[in-house]
Amino acid sequence: MSVATNLRVASLAERPDLANAMLTMEATWPAYVRAEPLLVNWAFERHAEHQLVVLDGDGDDERVIARAASVPFAWDGDLDSLPDTGWDEVLRQSMLDTYAGRELTAVCALEIAIVPGLQARNLSARTLVALNDNARRLGFADLMAPVRPSNKHAEPEVPITEYITRTRPDGLPADAWLRVHVREGGRIVKICPASMAIAGSLAQWREWTGLPFDEDGPVAVPGALTPVEVSVAHDRAVYIEPNVWIRHRLNK
């Protein structure tokens, strides 16, 4: 499949040789956003047809410039059953559903990432379209996504429930990444207030952020959508990231 005349999209099922390039592709995730590697590796191996890479160039000049990861899971179609723990839970659920032999009825997008500096090429929207097209080609009617609003980090103190109500004069979401999803037919259906939970020692958080982490209480961390809660006595800091569930109906 193709997202532009000079770009190509391939799944890892088609190009297993690109798995390492996909995993090591430069991206803009903060250092503290750390997915469980065992689950990620399992998803890549078991559901390779749901992992996409966007390629530019040919032959020795070929390179991965964007990636899109997703997994199928058993969903009953009830929006209330979408987990409040979004990203973390749906990856575990996909594994449990797969091994239990349940019918996998929907696809969940886990990530769309673009090599820094290439966002101006509209690659985010193009990669989202490719992800939707791939799920549709595989026979799924719904692609769900616990979406990380791209501009929320600038206002970590603002509740996510308030943030997602902001719109532009044209009625589209004020947030750029939410807007891309809505433009491509997605609909915001609910909040997942604890989509990703990241805990670490204060030494780890200092390494990840360069901040002192020497006082109790909330700390605003670059890139974080909400403050990180610090306990000096327990030598622990915890970040709970809220996301926004978006539904793409693929059979329209």
Side-chain angles (χ1 to χ4, degrees), residues 93-248:
Q93 185 179 334
S94 175
M95 177 181 280
L96 292 173
D97 292 339
T98 299
Y99 284 130
R102 301 186 185 103
E103 181 183 4
L104 305 176
T105 56
V107 174
C108 182
L110 298 175
E111 177 196 29
I112 290 177
I114 311 299
V115 168
L118 298 181
Q119 288 86 349
R121 298 175 65 177
N122 200 31
L123 280 175
S124 295
R126 293 173 175 176
T127 307
L128 174 59
V129 169
L131 195 61
N132 280 338
D133 287 346
N134 189 63
R136 186 183 295 109
R137 179 183 63 81
L138 293 170
F140 293 91
D142 289 287
L143 182 134
M144 313 303 296
V147 174
R148 187 179 203 264
S150 59
N151 306 122
K152 176 68 174 67
H153 66 91
E155 301 178 88
E157 301 290 346
V158 174
I160 190 71
T161 50
E162 174 187 333
Y163 182 83
I164 67 166
T165 64
R166 297 177 180 176
T167 58
R168 305 191 314 178
D170 60 5
L172 290 170
D175 182 85
W177 189 215
L178 294 179
R179 190 163 62 248
V180 169
H181 277 269
V182 171
R183 277 178 171 157
E184 297 303 329
R187 182 169 68 90
I188 296 172
V189 294
K190 65 183 290 189
I191 300 294
C192 43
S195 186
M196 188 178 290
I198 299 163
S201 69
L202 300 188
Q204 286 177 306
W205 279 99
R206 291 176 187 125
E207 179 182 354
W208 293 335
T209 68
L211 299 176
F213 281 91
D214 54 3
E215 295 183 4
D216 289 335
V219 174
V221 171
L225 308 193
T226 59
V228 175
E229 292 293 333
V230 178
S231 172
V232 174
H234 292 90
D235 187 31
R236 207 71 173 160
V238 179
Y239 172 55
I240 305 295
E241 176 167 297
N243 287 171
V244 181
W245 275 113
I246 290 183
R247 182 182 193 178
H248 291 265

